[in-house]
Amino acid sequence: MKALFITLEGIDGSGKSTQAKRIAQWLEDFTGRRTICTFEPGGWEGGKTLREFILGSKSYNALSELLLFLADRSEHVEKIIMPALNSGHNIICERYNDSTLAYQSGGHNLEIAHVKRIITACNFPEPDAKILLDLTPETAFERMKSRKNLNDKFENDKFESEGLALMKNVAKFYRDSSENFIAVNCDKLSEHEVFNEIISRLEAMIKQCQSR
Ligand code: TMP
C-alpha cells in the first residue's frame, strides 16, 4: 500500500492540532511508515513569513486572499507534501483545499464554482482521506476564548477577529459537505473518544483500500 495523504479540517478551535499528533502516531504504528504532520498556511520552509502576512494583514480583497492561500499551498505541495509522499512517508495535513472552500467561499462569499475552478486549475494532489472535526461554532468559540483569555472578540488574526459570525458560516459550509469526509461530531465526545472514532474509521478505510 502506498504512502497516505490525509487532511484534517474543521473550524478554528475544533482541536485539529491535538488530533493530528495522535493520528500521526497511530498511523506510523499501523502502516509502519514514517508519518509527517504539517499544516497550512505556512507549513514549509520560509512559509512563516507568508503565514504572518496572510493572517496579519486585513487590507487585501477576497480574491487576493484566495490567491495567497493557493500560493502558500503551491509551495507547501512542492516543498513538503510531494517529496514526503514520494519518499514513502505518510502526510497528515491540517487544512488544505477544503479550508479554502469553507473560508473563502462559505465564509467570505466568493462564488463556489469559481473557487473550485481555480483550485482544480492548480492541480494539487488529492488526499486519500479527509477528516472533518465537526464542532458547533459556539463551543469552539468558547474554547478559544478561554485558551486565549480574551473577552468576546479576538484581535489576533484576520480570521479570528471576525469572530463568531465567520465561524458560523464556515461551520455550516463544512457541515453541508460532510458526506465528503470522515466526519466526527465532537460536541459531546471527549478528545479520546474523538480519536477512537477517527482511527476506527480510518482503519476500515485503509483495510478496504488494501483489499482492492
Ligand atoms: P490555523 O490557525 O488553523 O493554522 O489557520 C489559520 C486561518 O487561516 C484559519 O482561520 C483558517 C484560515 N484559512 C483560510 O481561510 N483558507 C485556507 O485555505 C487555509 C489553509 C486557512
Side-chain angles (χ1 to χ4, degrees), residues 12 40-41 51 55 69 73 95 99-100 103-104 159:
D12 303 68
E40 294 188 0
R51 179 183 170 93
L55 302 182
F69 280 112
R73 186 157 308 135
R95 301 199 178 282
S99 281
T100 310
Y103 282 79
Q104 278 60 64
F159 296 88

Side-chain angles (χ1 to χ4, degrees), residues 86-97:
N86 288 335
S87 304
H89 307 321
N90 300 315
I91 285 277
I92 305 280
C93 183
E94 279 179 60
R95 301 199 178 282
Y96 195 60
N97 286 333

